[in-house]
């Protein structure tokens, strides 16, 4: 079975996906990590959000080709690392996520993983376009959201350990900007598909969200 989880930034998608994967014995792919990995790789080469895009808002063919080469070499699933969660990497990942050529390569890799999960039991993918583009055939789809202030608080608690400079207001600002960019981009925008089950996690803890999701799956 395939489970698709989409939602806004820091809404609790990953926590739900991990909880379900553990409970059901399924494989889990955090697709945000793919974009974050690419962002970290080019950040290490000296590129930032500001010099990846030119004055006209365009990414050069040379940069797209360089990114495509790195993308082709990715093997899934990727391992997590605290550096992937830093704010400059979040910014850059959302810029990379708007490049159709890169999404096309990642589309194939994500589908291959979902069709042949190592456990052979089932697979859970979380991201922005899982229910709409990557796994439109998934029988179970969730869309997770929460009030921006609550999401910022949760993300702040996660990031505090990683960087001394992190501030809740800049996190809130980042989440709002990233949601807007993700919802309005031309390719695979963030959206709730009609067959997704919506969960507002604003007033719920991780166990409560997991229980609601399990009830829906078993119901
Ligand atoms: O953890 P958080 O919700 O903040 O973000 P993430 O899931 O790690 O994704 C980072 C960025 O990658 C998002 O803001 C999107 O721009 C992009 N992304 C995407 O476009 N499509 C996906 N399936 C997953 C992530």
């Amino acid at each position: 079975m395939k489970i698709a989880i989409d939602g806004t930034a820091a809404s609790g998608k990953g926590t739900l996906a991990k909880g379900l994967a553990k409970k059901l014995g399924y494989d889990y792919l955090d697709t945000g990590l793919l974009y974050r990995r690419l962002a970290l790789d080019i950040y290490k080469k000296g590129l930032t959000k500001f010099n990846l895009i030119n004055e006209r808002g365009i990414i050069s063919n040379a940069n797209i080709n360089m990114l495509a080469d790195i993308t082709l070499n990715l093997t899934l699933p990727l391992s997590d690392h605290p550096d992937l969660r830093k704010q400059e990497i979040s910014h850059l990942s959302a810029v990379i996520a708007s490049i159709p050529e890169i999404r096309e390569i990642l589309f194939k890799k994500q589908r291959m993983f979902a069709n042949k999960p190592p456990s052979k039991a089932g697979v859970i993918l979380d991201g922005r376009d899982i229910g709409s583009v990557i796994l439109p055939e998934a029988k179970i789809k969730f869309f997770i959201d929460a009030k921006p202030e609550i999401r910022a608080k949760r993300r702040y608690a996660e990031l505090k350990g990683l960087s001394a400079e992190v501030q809740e207001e800049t996190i809130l600002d980042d989440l709002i900007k990233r949601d807007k960019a993700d919802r309005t981009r031309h390719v695979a925008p963030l959206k709730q598909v009609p067959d997704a089950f919506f969960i507002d996690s604003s007033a719920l803890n991780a166990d409560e969200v997991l229980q609601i999701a399990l009830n829906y799956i078993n119901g």
Side-chain angles (χ1 to χ4, degrees), residues 9-10 13 31 36 93-94 97 103 128-129 155 178 182 185:
K13 308 176 297 295
T31 68
R36 288 177 181 273
S93 67
R103 295 200 83 93
R128 303 293 186 288
D129 61 340
R155 185 51 53 93
R178 210 143 49 83
D182 288 343
R185 69 176 174 228

Side-chain angles (χ1 to χ4, degrees), residues 6-13 30-33 35-36 84-85 89-90 93-95 97-98 103 110 126-130 134 155 158 174-175 178-179 181-182 185 187-188:
D6 292 300
T8 50
S11 55
K13 308 176 297 295
D30 172 353
T31 68
L33 272 189
Y35 300 91
R36 288 177 181 273
L84 295 167
R85 304 285 163 189
I89 301 305
S90 300
S93 67
V95 177
S98 68
R103 295 200 83 93
Q110 291 169 79
D126 84 317
R128 303 293 186 288
D129 61 340
I130 309 303
I134 307 293
R155 185 51 53 93
E158 276 167 29
D174 165 70
L175 296 181
R178 210 143 49 83
D179 285 346
D182 288 343
R185 69 176 174 228
V187 56

